[in-house]
Amino acid sequence: MLDLYISNWQYSYMEIDEHSSRLSLAFRALADPTRRAILARLASGDADVSELTKPFALSQPTISKHLNVLERAGLVRRGRDAQRRPRALVAVPLQDIADWMEPFRRFWEQKFAGLDTYLEQMQRKETRRGRTER
């Protein structure tokens, strides 16, 4: 019995730890506005470091460091095209984030639906009051 409990705990811990570490890497990468801007640029197509440096007042080594963070998080993939090393967006970790956030989205949708219902009831009461007072 105790062995089953321990093995279940270990399995759960490993699964949570692996998933949370992937999410943590992605959230850390997305925490920086420069990295978010780089991802937005890559959403329109592959680009190399020099192309990604243009809109920023940052050096090429600084952009490379940001790209390394994005690569470690699995959000960017480095390609090879002759001498060029274009980076490409990898959207899978973004889907992992969207999946993680889904229960929170549903929570807020329920709250807003409740607020809509409450406001509709208040408007009906106001309408009825307006009719009886005339």
Side-chain angles (χ1 to χ4, degrees):
M1 178 72 169
L2 183 59
D3 291 336
L4 179 63
Y5 174 78
I6 291 170
S7 64
N8 283 338
W9 179 84
Q10 286 175 331
Y11 174 75
S12 297
Y13 179 79
M14 288 186 320
E15 186 67 28
I16 290 169
D17 187 44
E18 180 183 333
H19 188 255
S20 66
S21 66
R22 283 194 321 249
L23 279 174
S24 294
L25 285 171
F27 277 122
R28 275 189 219 114
L30 294 173
D32 186 275
T34 301
R35 292 193 286 267
R36 291 192 304 268
I38 289 170
L39 288 178
R41 165 54 187 86
L42 291 175
S44 66
D46 297 359
D48 60 27
V49 177
S50 63
E51 293 169 319
L52 293 170
T53 303
K54 288 177 185 173
F56 301 103
L58 299 171
S59 67
Q60 214 170 6
T62 301
I63 294 296
S64 291
K65 287 179 184 179
H66 282 297
L67 286 168
N68 286 334
V69 172
L70 292 167
E71 286 174 23
R72 277 195 306 275
L75 291 161
V76 170
R77 176 180 30 85
R78 185 187 317 217
R80 176 174 242 159
D81 182 21
Q83 296 301 314
R84 194 168 168 261
R85 301 287 184 268
R87 293 338 195 267
L89 175 66
V90 178
V92 172
L94 297 175
Q95 183 61 52
D96 291 343
I97 289 172
D99 293 345
W100 181 84
M101 292 181 68
E102 181 61 22
F104 301 102
R105 185 190 62 77
R106 284 194 308 266
F107 169 82
W108 282 109
E109 282 182 354
Q110 289 172 354
K111 294 292 183 188
F112 289 137
L115 179 60
D116 285 343
T117 302
Y118 175 76
L119 291 173
E120 287 171 7
Q121 290 171 353
M122 295 302 293
Q123 287 174 342
R124 276 189 247 130
K125 285 181 184 176
E126 286 296 315
T127 303
R128 278 188 249 143
R129 276 193 204 141
R131 289 183 193 159
T132 57
E133 290 177 9
R134 289 184 190 178

